[in-house]
Amino acid sequence: MNNRVAVITGASSGIGLATAKLLAARGAKVALLARRKEVLDQAVNEIRAAGGEALALAVDVTDQASVDAAAAAVESAYGPANLVFNNAGVMLPGAIEARETAVWEQQIDLNVTGVMRVISAFVPQLVKSAEQGATADLVNTSSIAAQNIYPYFAVYGGTKAYVSHLSRHLRAELGPKNVRVSLIEPGITETELQGHWTFQGAKDWIANAAENMAFLQPQDVAEVVGFLADQPKHVNLQQVVVMPTGQAT
């Protein structure tokens, strides 16, 4: 990881924060991107205190100008990114007949269009890094909901199905340019996402699940990102599904 310049969106908590700390501990220069600058600053202080190199950038992935500015700041500080963990997202379950269109739009704008904004801003840097001989990775966070069926998660699952299928197509486009594209589909992971839920049916479901299995922890998924990035340059793990041992579907 000593020659890696890693960019992580959704880096203020959960999987993103755990991945930032792991990659920095292994020697990467890490740019942490999220909206909560004060939280990012604290994370960067912790990384630097442990001997790592990190940069905090307040970014709103629903705003292309914000993402573009972050991309320019990363390249100015560290050179072109060669590892982008496209991880920002939101999960807001609800009954479809409730017609919560604002909630639908929030998930689509962050989970779909936000993913595309990050790709738009950083893929040119990944291509440049590959041309310069570096190992270049785009890793997208999807979900097991992209392929399995869960009541009240239709919109969320649809957004993640988009991310998964997008990633497969991008491999065909970017692979010939020596940019690896991978997607991670985690099962139930203990993060802040569940704390945003208001729909009681989903809250009851997750509470029952917690009584019957040990959830994945953010560090577990971070280890998968590290494993993907550490493969030889000619090896691209396209898709990794990582589940709690007790979760069947």
Side-chain angles (χ1 to χ4, degrees):
M1 289 291 167
N2 288 338
N3 296 317
R4 304 305 296 267
V5 175
V7 173
I8 300 166
T9 65
S12 60
S13 67
I15 293 169
L17 178 57
T19 302
K21 291 182 176 180
L22 181 143
L23 296 179
R26 295 183 180 179
K29 297 180 177 69
V30 179
L32 288 77
L33 279 57
R35 289 176 299 176
R36 296 179 291 178
K37 181 63 160 55
E38 68 284 356
V39 178
L40 294 180
D41 286 338
Q42 175 62 32
V44 166
N45 289 338
E46 293 174 4
I47 288 170
R48 290 176 176 170
E53 176 59 39
L55 173 69
L57 295 170
V59 173
D60 180 356
V61 300
T62 68
D63 179 354
Q64 187 67 60
S66 176
V67 183
D68 289 343
V74 170
E75 187 162 19
S76 176
Y78 295 144
N82 54 46
L83 198 173
V84 175
F85 184 32
N86 203 358
N87 173 69
V90 65
M91 176 168 50
L92 300 170
I96 205 71
E97 66 266 32
R99 301 179 65 193
E100 296 178 315
T101 56
V103 174
W104 303 347
E105 290 168 1
Q106 181 182 355
Q107 292 178 94
I108 292 166
D109 197 27
L110 188 55
N111 297 355
V112 174
T113 315
V115 164
M116 296 307 302
R117 291 186 185 103
V118 173
I119 288 169
S120 172
F122 283 101
V123 160
Q125 293 189 27
L126 292 174
V127 171
K128 182 189 294 186
S129 292
E131 289 173 346
Q132 294 173 351
T135 300
D137 286 289
L138 171 64
V139 182
N140 294 322
T141 300
S142 181
S143 166
I144 195 65
Q147 55 178 293
N148 291 346
I149 307 302
Y150 304 100
Y152 311 119
F153 287 82
V155 175
Y156 174 76
T159 65
K160 290 304 184 178
Y162 175 92
V163 172
S164 291
H165 204 51
L166 168 76
S167 301
R168 298 182 188 105
H169 280 276
L170 289 179
R171 283 195 68 250
E173 186 170 345
L174 296 176
K177 298 182 178 181
N178 294 315
V179 176
R180 304 188 298 196
V181 181
S182 303
L183 70 103
I184 301 176
E185 295 181 336
I188 301 176
T189 308
E190 190 172 316
T191 71
E192 287 186 357
L193 290 181
Q194 295 92 348
H196 302 153
W197 294 3
T198 59
F199 181 66
Q200 192 59 47
K203 292 168 74 173
D204 293 342
W205 173 79
I206 200 74
N208 181 68
E211 293 179 358
N212 292 286
M213 74 177 83
F215 291 177
L216 294 175
Q217 298 300 308
Q219 180 69 20
D220 301 325
V221 184
E223 291 284 354
V224 175
V225 178
F227 179 76
L228 292 172
D230 201 37
Q231 296 306 300
K233 191 185 298 186
H234 69 285
V235 177
N236 184 179
L237 274 71
Q238 171 187 317
Q239 176 178 358
V240 177
V241 179
V242 53
M243 301 275 280
T245 300
Q247 184 181 4
T249 60

